[in-house]
Structure formats: structure tokens, C-alpha cells
Amino acid sequence: MPTERTMQQKTCLTQKELARRWTISHRTLERWRWAGEGPAYMKLGGRVVYRLEDRRSRRS
């Protein structure tokens, strides 16, 4: 049975993972969050994550 962490890794990206994927600085994502801009995110246990489903639909 998959753990919550395993399921999260399959459905979400961390800030650094998304930054690498988009070839931008992870600080850019931080700045966007602070300014209320950029992609939608969630906080899970104090960690910022971005849902892969949201990222895929944004590219379409």
C-alpha cells in the first residue's frame, strides 16, 4: 500500500522540482507566491507543492 509521501511524489512537485522543469530559479517561484502571482500551489505539512495535474492543464 503506498504511503502518503509516495502518493504525493507521484501527483505533486516540490518548488525545486518545478523550477528545474521550467528552467527558472526556485526563488522566482517564491517571489511569485509572495506577490500572489504564478502557478497555484498547496501547503502540505508546511511544504509548498504544485500539483502535476494543474501544471499539465495550464500547458494545454
Side-chain angles (χ1 to χ4, degrees):
M1 185 165 146
T3 65
E4 182 180 338
R5 182 171 174 85
T6 305
M7 290 176 66
Q8 177 185 333
Q9 289 177 344
K10 292 181 181 178
T11 61
C12 298
L13 294 174
T14 66
Q15 172 180 294
K16 289 187 178 185
E17 290 168 335
L18 182 60
R20 275 193 298 267
R21 185 176 279 205
W22 285 5
T23 62
I24 61 172
S25 167
H26 70 279
R27 299 286 185 186
T28 299
L29 290 169
E30 289 177 2
R31 188 173 60 248
W32 287 347
R33 282 197 315 275
W34 182 82
E37 301 171 357
Y41 66 93
M42 300 183 307
K43 281 195 140 182
L44 296 177
R47 293 179 33 183
V48 173
V49 294
Y50 299 88
R51 292 183 346 154
L52 283 172
E53 183 177 317
D54 293 342
R55 305 292 52 85
R56 288 185 190 121
S57 64
R58 187 174 182 119
R59 278 198 257 165
S60 301

